[in-house]
Amino acid sequence: MFINRIIRWFNGWPDLLKFLVLIAVTVYATYYAPAPVAVAWYAVMAVAYFFSTNEALWLALFLATADGFASYFGMYEVTLTVLPGLPAVEISQIYIILTVIKAAAKKLKPVLFYNKYLQILLIFMIFNVLWGQLMGLSGGLNVYFRVIKGIIPMMLFYSIPRLFVSREMYEKFFRLVFIIVLASFAAQLFTLLTGMSPMEAGGIVPQEVEEESNDFRVFYGPASALAGLFGALYFLSTGRNNPRDRIIPVMVVFAAYAMAIISATRGWIISFTFIIVLTLLFSGTLRTRRGIYIVVAIVPLSLWFLSLPVISDQISFARERLQKIEAISEGDITAGGTLMRLDYRSQRTLGGWSENPLFGWGPSDKGYDYDDGHVGNQSLLATSGIVGFVLLNGFLVWFIYMMVSLYSRTPRMVRERGTLLVFVFFLAGWFIIHSTSGQQFNYSGFPGNIITQSVFFSFGAMQYQRIKAIIIHGKKVRKGSPA
C-alpha cells in the first residue's frame, strides 16, 4: 500500500521533473554508492519501466545512460554482471529486451511503409551472423556474448513502433532529449573553460594532466545530439504558433551545432550545416514571423558565444581543420595528415573486403579485425560484403525516395508537409557523418545509436501514414464523400 502511494505520487510529477530525479539518483547509484546499491537501483529501474506506460520518459532515460548525460554515463558505464565470467551488460540492453516483451504483449501491427524491406534486412542480419560463424569465430562464451550484444539493440526496430503509438509520445521523447542536449552543451562549455569535465570536477575520475594544446575534441552525447537536432527541426517545421514550441527547439539547434563546431569534428560540422541550411530554406521553417523569432534568438547567443576568448580560439581551430580539407583537391587524401581514415584505415578495410567481396566476413575473427568504425562505408563492405552494403544503403535511399514522393503529392495547404523534408535532409546529412566521421548504419550497433535510429525511422513511418491519410481525407471531401 505504501509503495503504491509512492508510485502514484511520483506519477503525478511533470515528466521533466521525473526525468531529472531519475538521472540524479542514477548518477548517485552509479558513481557514489556501493556496488550493491547500484545493482539494486538498476533492478528497480528495470521493474519500474516494465510496469510503466510512460514510454517516452524511460526511453529518454535509457538513452542518457547509453549515450551520456553531461559527461556522465555512456557506453559500459551503467552495467550489470548477469553471468559470472562474462562481460557486464549495459542496463540499456536489459531495457531493450523488456521493450520487446512489452511490445509482443500488445499484439499491435503498426503500419510501416518499409516493413517488407525491414524483413529483408532482418533475414540478411541473421544470415550475416551465421556466415560469420562459417568464416571462423574463435574464443570462449564472451566472444559469442559480444555478437549477441551487438544484435540486441536492433530489436528496437520491432518494439518502438509498437510501443510509441501516437505522435504525442514521440514529441514527449524529443522534449526530454532537448534537456540531454542542453546539458551536454553546458558540460562541453564547462570542460572547455575549466579544463576538466564535470565528472573530474565531481571527483569521480582523476583529472588528466595534459600538455598545452589547442586540440580540444570533446563531444558529449553524440547520439542524443542527433536525436535532439532532428526533433528540434521537426518542431520548427510543423508551423505551430505557440512561442514555447519554438524557443527551446531553436536553443537546441544552436547547442547541437555549437557542439559540433567546438569539437572541431569536420564530418559533423559539414553534416549539421547541410541539415540546418536545407531544412531552414526548403521545409517552410523560415516563415516571416517565425524567421524573425529564430534570428532574434540566435544572434544574441552567437555574439555572446564569440565574445569568450577560449571559445573564439576553439572556433578558429575548427575553421583551420575544415580548411585542411582543401588539400584533398590537391591530391593529399590525408588532408595534411589529419584524415588518416582516407588513407591507411580505408585501404586496410577495403583490403579485407577484397578477400571476401560478396558477403564480407560477418562477425568473425577477420570481420572484427577489419571492422573499423572510423570508415563507415568501407567497414560495412568488409563485414557484410557488397550484398549487405547494397541492401542497407538501398533502404536509406528508398526511405528518402518515399518521403520525397509523398511530399510531391501533398498539397501546399497541408501544414506539416515540410516535416517530410526534415526527414529527407536529416537522413542525407546523417549519411555524411557515416561516410566521413564514424559508422552510423550497420547490421549491429550500440544501444545509444540504435535508439536514435529506431525512433527516427518509426516516427518517419508514422508521419508518412499521417500525412497520407490527410491527403486521402482531402480527396474524399472534395468529391463530396462523407468524411
Side-chain angles (χ1 to χ4, degrees), residues 194-259:
T194 65
M196 66 176 74
S197 70
M199 286 186 67
E200 292 171 339
I204 296 171
V205 295
Q207 184 177 0
E208 296 182 7
V209 179
E210 298 181 354
E211 300 178 2
E212 286 291 323
S213 172
N214 288 347
D215 199 3
F216 181 86
R217 304 299 308 283
V218 172
F219 194 149
Y220 296 123
S224 300
L226 281 165
L229 178 61
F230 168 75
L233 292 173
Y234 161 77
F235 272 102
L236 291 173
S237 67
T238 56
R240 301 177 188 187
N241 295 321
N242 191 333
R244 288 180 300 178
D245 290 328
R246 293 192 297 268
I247 294 173
I248 297 298
V250 168
M251 292 174 62
V252 170
V253 171
F254 176 84
Y257 191 48
M259 281 196 292

Side-chain angles (χ1 to χ4, degrees), residues 272-409:
F272 282 12
T273 301
F274 173 90
I275 293 169
I276 294 170
V277 170
L278 291 184
T279 299
L280 293 180
L281 289 178
F282 297 107
S283 71
T285 302
L286 280 180
R287 295 179 178 91
T288 305
R289 184 179 297 180
R290 194 174 312 147
I292 293 173
Y293 284 135
I294 293 174
V295 171
V296 167
I298 287 182
V299 169
L301 285 172
S302 301
L303 292 176
W304 165 78
F305 210 59
L306 293 172
S307 68
L308 300 174
V310 176
I311 294 177
S312 180
D313 291 343
Q314 185 64 20
I315 292 174
S316 297
F317 170 62
R319 185 171 59 249
E320 290 173 6
R321 283 179 54 80
L322 280 172
Q323 289 173 344
K324 288 181 179 179
I325 294 180
E326 296 176 2
I328 297 176
S329 62
E330 300 172 0
D332 180 7
I333 64 171
T334 67
T338 63
L339 273 180
M340 195 171 78
R341 62 172 52 88
L342 293 182
D343 185 16
Y344 171 75
R345 290 183 181 275
S346 177
Q347 295 304 317
R348 182 180 183 279
T349 305
L350 287 176
W353 167 63
S354 67
E355 297 174 14
N356 200 349
L358 189 60
F359 296 119
W361 292 101
S364 64
D365 292 338
K366 283 196 172 184
Y368 284 125
D369 184 41
Y370 290 123
D371 186 20
D372 189 341
H374 290 86
V375 281
N377 289 311
Q378 297 90 324
S379 183
L380 183 60
L381 280 168
T383 56
S384 62
I386 192 65
V387 174
F389 180 88
V390 170
L391 284 175
L392 186 51
N393 285 309
F395 171 74
L396 303 181
V397 172
W398 188 68
F399 184 91
I400 288 176
Y401 168 78
M402 293 296 287
M403 288 294 187
V404 172
S405 177
L406 182 61
Y407 174 83
S408 65
R409 303 195 311 269

Side-chain angles (χ1 to χ4, degrees), residues 73-292:
F73 308 137
M75 287 190 298
Y76 314 123
E77 288 286 315
V78 187
T79 60
L80 284 169
T81 301
V82 178
L83 295 174
L86 293 179
V89 178
E90 294 83 358
I91 186 66
S92 54
Q93 297 265 11
I94 296 174
Y95 158 76
I96 292 167
I97 294 173
L98 292 177
T99 67
V100 174
I101 297 172
K102 290 178 70 173
K106 286 181 176 291
K107 298 181 180 179
L108 296 176
K109 291 186 177 180
V111 180
L112 304 174
F113 70 84
Y114 55 76
N115 191 51
K116 290 184 178 179
Y117 205 133
L118 194 64
Q119 292 172 2
I120 294 172
L121 294 178
L122 171 63
I123 292 170
F124 184 83
M125 182 184 74
I126 296 171
F127 167 80
N128 188 245
V129 172
L130 298 176
W131 180 256
Q133 307 308 300
L134 293 175
M135 293 299 100
L137 181 63
S138 59
L141 280 176
N142 61 320
V143 177
Y144 291 92
F145 202 53
R146 176 184 179 184
V147 176
I148 294 172
K149 285 176 63 177
I151 293 173
I152 286 175
M154 310 307 288
M155 295 178 180
L156 287 170
F157 285 97
Y158 166 84
S159 60
I160 291 297
R162 289 163 175 79
L163 296 175
F164 281 68
V165 295
S166 69
R167 181 182 57 163
E168 289 71 26
M169 294 179 72
Y170 286 102
E171 292 180 354
K172 283 175 63 177
F173 167 73
F174 288 128
R175 288 190 180 98
L176 293 173
V177 172
F178 293 165
I179 304 305
I180 301 176
V181 176
L182 295 175
S184 296
F185 180 44
Q188 187 191 46
L189 291 180
F190 178 86
T191 305
L192 177 62
L193 296 173
T194 65
M196 66 176 74
S197 70
M199 286 186 67
E200 292 171 339
I204 296 171
V205 295
Q207 184 177 0
E208 296 182 7
V209 179
E210 298 181 354
E211 300 178 2
E212 286 291 323
S213 172
N214 288 347
D215 199 3
F216 181 86
R217 304 299 308 283
V218 172
F219 194 149
Y220 296 123
S224 300
L226 281 165
L229 178 61
F230 168 75
L233 292 173
Y234 161 77
F235 272 102
L236 291 173
S237 67
T238 56
R240 301 177 188 187
N241 295 321
N242 191 333
R244 288 180 300 178
D245 290 328
R246 293 192 297 268
I247 294 173
I248 297 298
V250 168
M251 292 174 62
V252 170
V253 171
F254 176 84
Y257 191 48
M259 281 196 292
I261 292 175
I262 290 176
S263 70
T265 309
R266 287 171 292 201
W268 288 72
I269 295 172
I270 294 169
S271 170
F272 282 12
T273 301
F274 173 90
I275 293 169
I276 294 170
V277 170
L278 291 184
T279 299
L280 293 180
L281 289 178
F282 297 107
S283 71
T285 302
L286 280 180
R287 295 179 178 91
T288 305
R289 184 179 297 180
R290 194 174 312 147
I292 293 173

Side-chain angles (χ1 to χ4, degrees), residues 26 77 153 168 250 262 421 425 458 463 483:
T26 307
E77 288 286 315
E168 289 71 26
V250 168
I262 290 176
L421 289 184
F425 297 143
S458 60
Q463 192 70 353

